[in-house]
Amino acid sequence: MITSIFKSAVSKISASGAVLALASNHAFAATSTPLKQDDFVGISFWIISMALVAATVFFFLERDRVSPKWKTSLTVSGLVTLVAAVHYFYMRDVWVSTGATPTVFRYIDWLITVPLLMIEFYLILSAITKVPVGVFWRLMIGTLVMLIGGYLGEAGYMSVWPAFIIGMLGWAYILYEIFMGQASQINAKSAPPSVQSAFKTMRLIVTIGWAIYPLGYFFGYLTGSSPANSANALNIIYNFADVLNKIAFGLIIWTVAVSESESSAKK
């Protein structure tokens, strides 16, 4: 039994490590520019890359600890941090080589990871009761509106203020669904205390943690600061928001999954 668990753990670490090593090798191959000691934005990219790698391995290993109905949620958490880690290697590369904001890489990352984070609301409720598919699609619509609005402004396809407003409307739509919409009602009526607690904490992250992103957009594009200062502020704020929101989200899922699994095993 112990041997099989050990082999499973080793295989998962090896698989995760192989993917991340491949990504990092590509990142290193893309440039020979060294990371400067006073480049705090570049340093933040590397710190967050390593944190995301560690979180990925942790979430995949912990799948063996939870009951089957929670494995998908932990898998999604691991995928979020894995995709983000791969992109952060490349974003660090763009920044160190050019000093430019890696807008395209960042939005490709978000276009994959943010919908996955929204799916987590649907998954944790689906683990304990039947959830209408409309909940899933409403969360997806809000997410896409938020991301598309932000990208149009940052990439220069639309004036920054109208794009900012569109992105904020998408975020408001998500907040409505998880605080007053059907997802919130299902959580209040059907979920056990541990799931309700996780759902509420996830809502706080989407409210408070995600509020960091509009701050980054504001300081990056709407203050009238010099391009260099704006780029520094934008990337440091976005990097901090990503590591907080993506890892913290997964840890909340992990906590409730372990708690519910251990409670079921005792019955």
Side-chain angles (χ1 to χ4, degrees):
M1 176 68 175
I2 294 176
T3 303
S4 63
I5 293 175
F6 176 76
K7 288 181 178 179
S8 175
V10 170
S11 65
K12 289 178 182 178
I13 292 175
S14 300
S16 301
V19 173
L20 293 166
L22 180 61
S24 60
N25 285 339
H26 280 302
F28 279 124
T31 183
S32 58
T33 306
L35 178 64
K36 297 178 181 178
Q37 294 184 5
D38 60 349
D39 183 0
F40 297 109
V41 179
I43 291 170
S44 73
F45 274 115
W46 261 118
I47 292 173
I48 294 168
S49 298
M50 294 301 101
L52 291 166
V53 169
T56 298
V57 175
F58 176 77
F59 292 138
F60 285 156
L61 286 176
E62 286 294 295
R63 288 183 76 259
D64 286 336
R65 189 177 171 186
V66 302
S67 58
K69 68 181 181 179
W70 292 107
K71 291 185 185 295
T72 301
S73 293
L74 276 186
T75 299
V76 171
S77 296
L79 289 175
V80 167
T81 53
L82 173 61
V83 170
V86 172
H87 280 89
Y88 262 89
F89 280 119
Y90 281 92
M91 287 193 288
R92 171 264 175 193
D93 211 40
V94 171
W95 175 265
V96 173
S97 300
T98 67
T101 299
T103 303
V104 173
F105 280 113
R106 198 178 286 283
Y107 273 89
I108 293 172
D109 171 18
W110 287 345
L111 193 61
I112 300 171
T113 58
V114 177
L116 287 174
L117 291 174
M118 287 295 94
I119 287 172
E120 291 284 29
F121 281 101
Y122 182 80
L123 290 176
I124 68 166
L125 294 177
S126 297
I128 47 89
T129 189
K130 184 174 178 59
V131 182
V133 72
V135 172
F136 171 86
W137 287 113
R138 285 193 293 274
L139 291 172
M140 287 301 100
I141 290 171
T143 299
L144 291 175
V145 170
M146 178 178 66
L147 292 174
I148 291 171
Y151 179 73
L152 292 175
E154 293 202 47
Y157 293 110
M158 180 182 288
S159 298
V160 289
W161 271 112
F164 180 74
I165 292 171
I166 291 173
M168 293 295 287
L169 289 174
W171 182 35
Y173 187 74
I174 293 171
L175 292 176
Y176 173 80
E177 177 62 29
I178 61 178
F179 274 94
M180 293 177 284
Q182 195 172 17
S184 177
Q185 295 169 13
I186 293 171
N187 177 64
K189 295 177 182 178
S190 304
S194 58
V195 175
Q196 289 192 27
S197 176
F199 190 94
K200 291 176 182 177
T201 307
M202 288 163 63
R203 286 193 310 199
L204 287 178
I205 290 180
V206 174
T207 307
I208 300 172
W210 285 22
I212 301 172
Y213 294 109
L215 285 177
Y217 189 102
F218 178 81
F219 283 106
Y221 300 101
L222 302 175
T223 61
S225 300
S226 68
N229 289 336
S230 295
N232 287 342
L234 175 78
N235 284 286
I236 287 178
I237 293 172
Y238 277 171
N239 290 356
F240 172 72
D242 272 350
V243 74
L244 170 66
N245 293 318
K246 290 172 182 175
I247 295 178
F249 227 81
L251 288 174
I252 294 168
I253 300 297
W254 169 76
T255 300
V256 68
V258 170
S259 174
E260 284 293 300
S261 299
E262 291 178 349
S263 297
S264 299
K266 292 177 182 179
K267 293 180 181 179

